[in-house]
Amino acid sequence: MQLRRQPLSAPRPGDTRPAAQRLAVPLLLLLALQGAAASGEPEDSGWLQDAEPSSRLLSQAARAALHFFNFRAASPSALQVLASVLDGRAWVNQKKEYKFDLVFTTEFYRAEEGEKRLGTCSAQVFFRNDKPRPAVNVTCTQLIKKERRQEEDYQLYKLMKQLKSPLNAVRIPDSHGYIAPSLRPIWNLAFLGSSYVMWQKTTPFLHYFMSQISSVKQWKTNDDAIDFDYTVLLHEFSTQEIIPCRIHLVWYPGKPLKVKYHCQERQTPEEGSGTEEGSAVALTELSNF
Amino acid sequence: MKPLLGTFYLLGMLVPGWLGYDRSLTQQRQEVVGKVVSPWRILETYPYNRYHPMGEIYQWMSEIREKYTEVVTQHFLGMTYESRPMYYLKISQPSNNPKKIIWMDCGIHAREWIAPAFCQWFVKEILQNYKDNSRIRRLLKNLDFYVLPVLNIDGYIYTWTTDRLWRKSRSSHNNGTCFGTDLNRNFDASWCSIGASHNCESLTFCGTGPMSEPETKAVSSFIESKKENIACFLTMHSYGQLILVPYGYTTNKSNNHEELIQVGQKAANALKAKHGTNYRVGSSADILYATSGSSRDWARDIGIPFSYTFELRDNGTYGFVLPETQIQATCEETMEAVLSVLDDVYEKYWYTNSAIKAKSTALVLSLLMSVMSLL
């Protein structure tokens, strides 16, 4: 990912780097000055602990961990979203690698109000050279028993099998935030696929939310698996951009999720992102698929 | 007849697509461009728990003004880029009391639909309750409310007709090849220094210069003209569930930062008490990201003491496309937060009579005691 490197100086007008990067530069200076405040880490790795990590940074890292968790669990009926960060520590080193140690609570990703069960996760998240696709180590308390989760996944799968191929012109949710009950399984599965993409794209400075499914290219259920090809609009928070991503996934209850994706490059040329990387990954995955 | 209509309307709300609430694109296009397709016949049945296109909001403002003439007046602020009128509502209890102004604007970012919905809700709550509710009655004794339900009208209409996730205004740049300025980067507060872009393609495009946009000019010249009397500047956004204090363009804090945080935290607590929703409070640079040219920072810098950005529901689950089923709860809890801020603003400027008496009594007593101890 191409980033502008600038000497530590006062912000110049018109600097177009994402805002979070701009704050990170003085942060690094602060960390360098703190020096001996580093706790418990071996000297040679050069990790400096951030004495006061911003809640935004910790939330971003927690979300990345949760995206990875949701992807790996491959369970559209048991998707979890971040509730709050209980405890978080952050380190950075000279190589611009970021490390996070987090404890956070989660909620079920459900339509119904009042379903307020909270889970807890602990995670270590590692970004190399502020690049995307962090390495994640995450464990979460079981919000729902495995058997029940499998059963609900299977029920969802049965519903999906009954769905006729929809909805080429329909957005989910619609402009008013409405999702027809029959389309809910599609939304959940789309979120599962998007979790993979959002994990892949998250950096210490860029983080994503799923806004809308803008189109469904294909919804096939021949053989056993659900074959789902759609375009989702991701909202990137620090630049406020809407990124369309074409995602193609194959899902069967209990099996790992197979995903490939390609996200459209953002319009602004200065803020060149890592889509070369992304599409290269997508290309290799296409051939393997 | 009227109750019957009301019943029909309520039934209509249960049947999606009935009474013109089929959200097809052509329907929306008809609704937005001044031609009003309003199924409600009387203001009492206006559905505050639905999103409304601009045509309906214009009409709603007229009806509010007509129904509550004793306290409401409608005023022209300026024209948008696409030549649409910007109106604000002034809610003021006529009296000889000195007044301070509370300013609230919504919808500076087009896709944040819950914000204009809240502005409408707020107006409705004040007007429906100011006679019976002692808390609101008290506020209206010395506070005037100026509410701008939609600041970025062109952008808002664009989200109804063309692109639901549009953010900026609809000004034309680069020979008509690029559209829209981020109006909340266009104010004269460390303009375009950080967290904004000089590139029109960017969603945080700061414009061609500070206050370059007609919408920004309209709001800022009005606020500037009244700034001596404005106690509180509230600007409503979504999403993120945050109450933000200055600044975004620096991590330095305003000279009343502690007070702003305290008032903000009290408001967040009041909000949470309603439906359990968690809001965080802090400066924009600390808890959100660095931004320059925001209206909130500008308002604080010209001397308005209480200046807040509210980022309403949710936390990213639906984001900008918040379901209508959440409008009511969101507005109810936000109302508690705003009233909490207003109470604190009121207390700051006008001690209640009993408070003054208590203070005087305490003073006299302590003087007496110190005199007696000398005897």
PDB file of all heavy atoms in Angstrom, chain B residues 264-292:
ATOM      1  N   GLY B 264     -21.632  17.108  28.538  1.00  0.00           N
ATOM      2  CA  GLY B 264     -21.800  16.052  27.543  1.00  0.00           C
ATOM      3  C   GLY B 264     -21.992  14.693  28.186  1.00  0.00           C
ATOM      4  O   GLY B 264     -22.823  13.892  27.758  1.00  0.00           O
ATOM      5  N   GLN B 265     -21.212  14.437  29.217  1.00  0.00           N
ATOM      6  CA  GLN B 265     -21.319  13.142  29.895  1.00  0.00           C
ATOM      7  C   GLN B 265     -22.667  12.994  30.587  1.00  0.00           C
ATOM      8  O   GLN B 265     -23.287  11.927  30.569  1.00  0.00           O
ATOM      9  CB  GLN B 265     -20.174  12.986  30.906  1.00  0.00           C
ATOM     10  CG  GLN B 265     -19.981  11.572  31.419  1.00  0.00           C
ATOM     11  CD  GLN B 265     -19.836  10.560  30.294  1.00  0.00           C
ATOM     12  OE1 GLN B 265     -18.908  10.611  29.503  1.00  0.00           O
ATOM     13  NE2 GLN B 265     -20.780   9.628  30.212  1.00  0.00           N
ATOM     14  N   LYS B 266     -23.127  14.081  31.155  1.00  0.00           N
ATOM     15  CA  LYS B 266     -24.447  14.051  31.796  1.00  0.00           C
ATOM     16  C   LYS B 266     -25.518  13.763  30.747  1.00  0.00           C
ATOM     17  O   LYS B 266     -26.464  12.997  30.976  1.00  0.00           O
ATOM     18  CB  LYS B 266     -24.695  15.402  32.485  1.00  0.00           C
ATOM     19  CG  LYS B 266     -25.924  15.473  33.340  1.00  0.00           C
ATOM     20  CD  LYS B 266     -25.777  16.571  34.409  1.00  0.00           C
ATOM     21  CE  LYS B 266     -27.133  17.183  34.747  1.00  0.00           C
ATOM     22  NZ  LYS B 266     -27.675  18.101  33.723  1.00  0.00           N
ATOM     23  N   ALA B 267     -25.353  14.345  29.581  1.00  0.00           N
ATOM     24  CA  ALA B 267     -26.309  14.107  28.500  1.00  0.00           C
ATOM     25  C   ALA B 267     -26.258  12.650  28.040  1.00  0.00           C
ATOM     26  O   ALA B 267     -27.291  12.026  27.794  1.00  0.00           O
ATOM     27  CB  ALA B 267     -26.018  15.043  27.325  1.00  0.00           C
ATOM     28  N   ALA B 268     -25.042  12.103  27.948  1.00  0.00           N
ATOM     29  CA  ALA B 268     -24.899  10.698  27.534  1.00  0.00           C
ATOM     30  C   ALA B 268     -25.543   9.771  28.559  1.00  0.00           C
ATOM     31  O   ALA B 268     -26.140   8.746  28.204  1.00  0.00           O
ATOM     32  CB  ALA B 268     -23.428  10.350  27.338  1.00  0.00           C
ATOM     33  N   ASN B 269     -25.417  10.123  29.829  1.00  0.00           N
ATOM     34  CA  ASN B 269     -26.051   9.314  30.867  1.00  0.00           C
ATOM     35  C   ASN B 269     -27.573   9.368  30.748  1.00  0.00           C
ATOM     36  O   ASN B 269     -28.258   8.355  30.878  1.00  0.00           O
ATOM     37  CB  ASN B 269     -25.631   9.803  32.260  1.00  0.00           C
ATOM     38  CG  ASN B 269     -24.143   9.621  32.505  1.00  0.00           C
ATOM     39  OD1 ASN B 269     -23.473   8.869  31.794  1.00  0.00           O
ATOM     40  ND2 ASN B 269     -23.620  10.313  33.496  1.00  0.00           N
ATOM     41  N   ALA B 270     -28.098  10.564  30.508  1.00  0.00           N
ATOM     42  CA  ALA B 270     -29.545  10.709  30.346  1.00  0.00           C
ATOM     43  C   ALA B 270     -30.029   9.919  29.134  1.00  0.00           C
ATOM     44  O   ALA B 270     -31.089   9.294  29.160  1.00  0.00           O
ATOM     45  CB  ALA B 270     -29.906  12.183  30.190  1.00  0.00           C
ATOM     46  N   LEU B 271     -29.219   9.928  28.083  1.00  0.00           N
ATOM     47  CA  LEU B 271     -29.561   9.186  26.877  1.00  0.00           C
ATOM     48  C   LEU B 271     -29.608   7.690  27.169  1.00  0.00           C
ATOM     49  O   LEU B 271     -30.540   6.990  26.791  1.00  0.00           O
ATOM     50  CB  LEU B 271     -28.538   9.482  25.789  1.00  0.00           C
ATOM     51  CG  LEU B 271     -28.813   8.988  24.374  1.00  0.00           C
ATOM     52  CD1 LEU B 271     -28.121   9.895  23.365  1.00  0.00           C
ATOM     53  CD2 LEU B 271     -28.348   7.564  24.174  1.00  0.00           C
ATOM     54  N   LYS B 272     -28.595   7.232  27.871  1.00  0.00           N
ATOM     55  CA  LYS B 272     -28.495   5.799  28.146  1.00  0.00           C
ATOM     56  C   LYS B 272     -29.637   5.329  29.031  1.00  0.00           C
ATOM     57  O   LYS B 272     -30.119   4.194  28.882  1.00  0.00           O
ATOM     58  CB  LYS B 272     -27.161   5.492  28.817  1.00  0.00           C
ATOM     59  CG  LYS B 272     -26.976   4.029  29.120  1.00  0.00           C
ATOM     60  CD  LYS B 272     -25.552   3.696  29.502  1.00  0.00           C
ATOM     61  CE  LYS B 272     -25.490   2.196  29.829  1.00  0.00           C
ATOM     62  NZ  LYS B 272     -24.130   1.710  29.939  1.00  0.00           N
ATOM     63  N   ALA B 273     -30.082   6.196  29.929  1.00  0.00           N
ATOM     64  CA  ALA B 273     -31.156   5.811  30.847  1.00  0.00           C
ATOM     65  C   ALA B 273     -32.445   5.487  30.099  1.00  0.00           C
ATOM     66  O   ALA B 273     -33.289   4.743  30.589  1.00  0.00           O
ATOM     67  CB  ALA B 273     -31.404   6.934  31.865  1.00  0.00           C
ATOM     68  N   LYS B 274     -32.574   6.028  28.895  1.00  0.00           N
ATOM     69  CA  LYS B 274     -33.836   5.847  28.182  1.00  0.00           C
ATOM     70  C   LYS B 274     -33.968   4.436  27.600  1.00  0.00           C
ATOM     71  O   LYS B 274     -34.949   3.739  27.861  1.00  0.00           O
ATOM     72  CB  LYS B 274     -33.926   6.886  27.055  1.00  0.00           C
ATOM     73  CG  LYS B 274     -35.289   6.977  26.410  1.00  0.00           C
ATOM     74  CD  LYS B 274     -36.273   7.695  27.304  1.00  0.00           C
ATOM     75  CE  LYS B 274     -37.676   7.676  26.729  1.00  0.00           C
ATOM     76  NZ  LYS B 274     -38.677   8.213  27.660  1.00  0.00           N
ATOM     77  N   HIS B 275     -32.992   4.023  26.768  1.00  0.00           N
ATOM     78  CA  HIS B 275     -33.097   2.700  26.134  1.00  0.00           C
ATOM     79  C   HIS B 275     -31.820   1.888  26.232  1.00  0.00           C
ATOM     80  O   HIS B 275     -31.662   0.896  25.513  1.00  0.00           O
ATOM     81  CB  HIS B 275     -33.467   2.847  24.656  1.00  0.00           C
ATOM     82  CG  HIS B 275     -34.809   3.463  24.404  1.00  0.00           C
ATOM     83  ND1 HIS B 275     -35.981   2.894  24.860  1.00  0.00           N
ATOM     84  CD2 HIS B 275     -35.168   4.601  23.763  1.00  0.00           C
ATOM     85  CE1 HIS B 275     -36.999   3.655  24.500  1.00  0.00           C
ATOM     86  NE2 HIS B 275     -36.542   4.708  23.833  1.00  0.00           N
ATOM     87  N   GLY B 276     -30.882   2.351  27.065  1.00  0.00           N
ATOM     88  CA  GLY B 276     -29.663   1.561  27.270  1.00  0.00           C
ATOM     89  C   GLY B 276     -28.576   1.776  26.232  1.00  0.00           C
ATOM     90  O   GLY B 276     -27.569   1.085  26.228  1.00  0.00           O
ATOM     91  N   THR B 277     -28.755   2.754  25.363  1.00  0.00           N
ATOM     92  CA  THR B 277     -27.776   2.967  24.293  1.00  0.00           C
ATOM     93  C   THR B 277     -26.535   3.680  24.834  1.00  0.00           C
ATOM     94  O   THR B 277     -26.630   4.666  25.547  1.00  0.00           O
ATOM     95  CB  THR B 277     -28.401   3.810  23.169  1.00  0.00           C
ATOM     96  OG1 THR B 277     -29.650   3.232  22.803  1.00  0.00           O
ATOM     97  CG2 THR B 277     -27.499   3.866  21.956  1.00  0.00           C
ATOM     98  N   ASN B 278     -25.359   3.161  24.428  1.00  0.00           N
ATOM     99  CA  ASN B 278     -24.101   3.730  24.906  1.00  0.00           C
ATOM    100  C   ASN B 278     -23.569   4.785  23.956  1.00  0.00           C
ATOM    101  O   ASN B 278     -23.373   4.518  22.773  1.00  0.00           O
ATOM    102  CB  ASN B 278     -23.046   2.623  25.023  1.00  0.00           C
ATOM    103  CG  ASN B 278     -23.224   1.815  26.280  1.00  0.00           C
ATOM    104  OD1 ASN B 278     -23.334   2.355  27.362  1.00  0.00           O
ATOM    105  ND2 ASN B 278     -23.272   0.503  26.132  1.00  0.00           N
ATOM    106  N   TYR B 279     -23.316   5.966  24.474  1.00  0.00           N
ATOM    107  CA  TYR B 279     -22.660   7.024  23.714  1.00  0.00           C
ATOM    108  C   TYR B 279     -21.334   7.359  24.381  1.00  0.00           C
ATOM    109  O   TYR B 279     -21.230   7.323  25.606  1.00  0.00           O
ATOM    110  CB  TYR B 279     -23.519   8.299  23.705  1.00  0.00           C
ATOM    111  CG  TYR B 279     -24.490   8.399  22.550  1.00  0.00           C
ATOM    112  CD1 TYR B 279     -25.426   7.410  22.310  1.00  0.00           C
ATOM    113  CD2 TYR B 279     -24.465   9.504  21.706  1.00  0.00           C
ATOM    114  CE1 TYR B 279     -26.309   7.514  21.256  1.00  0.00           C
ATOM    115  CE2 TYR B 279     -25.355   9.618  20.643  1.00  0.00           C
ATOM    116  CZ  TYR B 279     -26.277   8.619  20.421  1.00  0.00           C
ATOM    117  OH  TYR B 279     -27.156   8.729  19.370  1.00  0.00           O
ATOM    118  N   ARG B 280     -20.338   7.671  23.566  1.00  0.00           N
ATOM    119  CA  ARG B 280     -19.060   8.125  24.139  1.00  0.00           C
ATOM    120  C   ARG B 280     -18.944   9.636  23.957  1.00  0.00           C
ATOM    121  O   ARG B 280     -19.476  10.209  22.990  1.00  0.00           O
ATOM    122  CB  ARG B 280     -17.905   7.397  23.453  1.00  0.00           C
ATOM    123  CG  ARG B 280     -17.778   5.947  23.924  1.00  0.00           C
ATOM    124  CD  ARG B 280     -16.585   5.262  23.289  1.00  0.00           C
ATOM    125  NE  ARG B 280     -16.706   5.156  21.850  1.00  0.00           N
ATOM    126  CZ  ARG B 280     -15.736   5.441  20.993  1.00  0.00           C
ATOM    127  NH1 ARG B 280     -14.562   5.841  21.431  1.00  0.00           N
ATOM    128  NH2 ARG B 280     -15.921   5.319  19.698  1.00  0.00           N
ATOM    129  N   VAL B 281     -18.223  10.263  24.870  1.00  0.00           N
ATOM    130  CA  VAL B 281     -18.086  11.723  24.875  1.00  0.00           C
ATOM    131  C   VAL B 281     -16.611  12.073  24.808  1.00  0.00           C
ATOM    132  O   VAL B 281     -15.805  11.482  25.511  1.00  0.00           O
ATOM    133  CB  VAL B 281     -18.695  12.316  26.174  1.00  0.00           C
ATOM    134  CG1 VAL B 281     -18.604  13.834  26.156  1.00  0.00           C
ATOM    135  CG2 VAL B 281     -20.143  11.878  26.339  1.00  0.00           C
ATOM    136  N   GLY B 282     -16.269  13.010  23.941  1.00  0.00           N
ATOM    137  CA  GLY B 282     -14.873  13.428  23.880  1.00  0.00           C
ATOM    138  C   GLY B 282     -14.675  14.420  22.752  1.00  0.00           C
ATOM    139  O   GLY B 282     -15.609  14.731  22.006  1.00  0.00           O
ATOM    140  N   SER B 283     -13.439  14.919  22.618  1.00  0.00           N
ATOM    141  CA  SER B 283     -13.173  15.813  21.499  1.00  0.00           C
ATOM    142  C   SER B 283     -13.080  14.993  20.227  1.00  0.00           C
ATOM    143  O   SER B 283     -12.727  13.807  20.245  1.00  0.00           O
ATOM    144  CB  SER B 283     -11.885  16.598  21.728  1.00  0.00           C
ATOM    145  OG  SER B 283     -10.775  15.832  21.292  1.00  0.00           O
ATOM    146  N   SER B 284     -13.393  15.647  19.125  1.00  0.00           N
ATOM    147  CA  SER B 284     -13.381  14.939  17.848  1.00  0.00           C
ATOM    148  C   SER B 284     -12.006  14.345  17.568  1.00  0.00           C
ATOM    149  O   SER B 284     -11.892  13.191  17.148  1.00  0.00           O
ATOM    150  CB  SER B 284     -13.779  15.922  16.742  1.00  0.00           C
ATOM    151  OG  SER B 284     -13.967  15.242  15.530  1.00  0.00           O
ATOM    152  N   ALA B 285     -10.959  15.115  17.805  1.00  0.00           N
ATOM    153  CA  ALA B 285      -9.606  14.630  17.523  1.00  0.00           C
ATOM    154  C   ALA B 285      -9.239  13.443  18.398  1.00  0.00           C
ATOM    155  O   ALA B 285      -8.504  12.555  17.983  1.00  0.00           O
ATOM    156  CB  ALA B 285      -8.590  15.751  17.709  1.00  0.00           C
ATOM    157  N   ASP B 286      -9.777  13.415  19.620  1.00  0.00           N
ATOM    158  CA  ASP B 286      -9.435  12.321  20.530  1.00  0.00           C
ATOM    159  C   ASP B 286     -10.179  11.041  20.199  1.00  0.00           C
ATOM    160  O   ASP B 286      -9.599   9.967  20.183  1.00  0.00           O
ATOM    161  CB  ASP B 286      -9.768  12.713  21.987  1.00  0.00           C
ATOM    162  CG  ASP B 286      -8.744  13.667  22.578  1.00  0.00           C
ATOM    163  OD1 ASP B 286      -7.672  13.842  21.969  1.00  0.00           O
ATOM    164  OD2 ASP B 286      -9.030  14.237  23.644  1.00  0.00           O
ATOM    165  N   ILE B 287     -11.485  11.123  20.024  1.00  0.00           N
ATOM    166  CA  ILE B 287     -12.248   9.872  19.939  1.00  0.00           C
ATOM    167  C   ILE B 287     -12.789   9.558  18.555  1.00  0.00           C
ATOM    168  O   ILE B 287     -13.321   8.469  18.343  1.00  0.00           O
ATOM    169  CB  ILE B 287     -13.401   9.815  20.970  1.00  0.00           C
ATOM    170  CG1 ILE B 287     -14.507  10.828  20.661  1.00  0.00           C
ATOM    171  CG2 ILE B 287     -12.866   9.985  22.381  1.00  0.00           C
ATOM    172  CD1 ILE B 287     -15.740  10.596  21.519  1.00  0.00           C
ATOM    173  N   LEU B 288     -12.656  10.474  17.622  1.00  0.00           N
ATOM    174  CA  LEU B 288     -13.129  10.165  16.270  1.00  0.00           C
ATOM    175  C   LEU B 288     -11.954  10.224  15.308  1.00  0.00           C
ATOM    176  O   LEU B 288     -11.225   9.258  15.149  1.00  0.00           O
ATOM    177  CB  LEU B 288     -14.249  11.118  15.861  1.00  0.00           C
ATOM    178  CG  LEU B 288     -14.954  10.787  14.539  1.00  0.00           C
ATOM    179  CD1 LEU B 288     -15.551   9.400  14.570  1.00  0.00           C
ATOM    180  CD2 LEU B 288     -16.036  11.811  14.222  1.00  0.00           C
ATOM    181  N   TYR B 289     -11.757  11.309  14.654  1.00  0.00           N
ATOM    182  CA  TYR B 289     -10.554  11.504  13.840  1.00  0.00           C
ATOM    183  C   TYR B 289     -10.344  12.992  13.651  1.00  0.00           C
ATOM    184  O   TYR B 289     -11.220  13.799  13.984  1.00  0.00           O
ATOM    185  CB  TYR B 289     -10.670  10.787  12.494  1.00  0.00           C
ATOM    186  CG  TYR B 289     -12.006  10.888  11.783  1.00  0.00           C
ATOM    187  CD1 TYR B 289     -12.619  12.113  11.558  1.00  0.00           C
ATOM    188  CD2 TYR B 289     -12.657   9.749  11.327  1.00  0.00           C
ATOM    189  CE1 TYR B 289     -13.832  12.200  10.911  1.00  0.00           C
ATOM    190  CE2 TYR B 289     -13.878   9.828  10.662  1.00  0.00           C
ATOM    191  CZ  TYR B 289     -14.460  11.051  10.457  1.00  0.00           C
ATOM    192  OH  TYR B 289     -15.680  11.139   9.814  1.00  0.00           O
ATOM    193  N   ALA B 290      -9.188  13.326  13.131  1.00  0.00           N
ATOM    194  CA  ALA B 290      -8.878  14.730  12.895  1.00  0.00           C
ATOM    195  C   ALA B 290      -9.705  15.248  11.734  1.00  0.00           C
ATOM    196  O   ALA B 290      -9.840  14.587  10.707  1.00  0.00           O
ATOM    197  CB  ALA B 290      -7.400  14.890  12.585  1.00  0.00           C
ATOM    198  N   THR B 291     -10.298  16.422  11.917  1.00  0.00           N
ATOM    199  CA  THR B 291     -11.020  17.088  10.835  1.00  0.00           C
ATOM    200  C   THR B 291     -10.785  18.583  10.964  1.00  0.00           C
ATOM    201  O   THR B 291     -10.582  19.088  12.060  1.00  0.00           O
ATOM    202  CB  THR B 291     -12.549  16.890  10.920  1.00  0.00           C
ATOM    203  OG1 THR B 291     -13.004  17.353  12.181  1.00  0.00           O
ATOM    204  CG2 THR B 291     -12.945  15.453  10.741  1.00  0.00           C
ATOM    205  N   SER B 292     -10.872  19.278   9.863  1.00  0.00           N
ATOM    206  CA  SER B 292     -10.776  20.739   9.904  1.00  0.00           C
ATOM    207  C   SER B 292     -11.967  21.312   9.162  1.00  0.00           C
ATOM    208  O   SER B 292     -12.600  20.617   8.368  1.00  0.00           O
ATOM    209  CB  SER B 292      -9.478  21.196   9.241  1.00  0.00           C
ATOM    210  OG  SER B 292      -9.412  20.703   7.914  1.00  0.00           O
TER     211      SER B 292
END
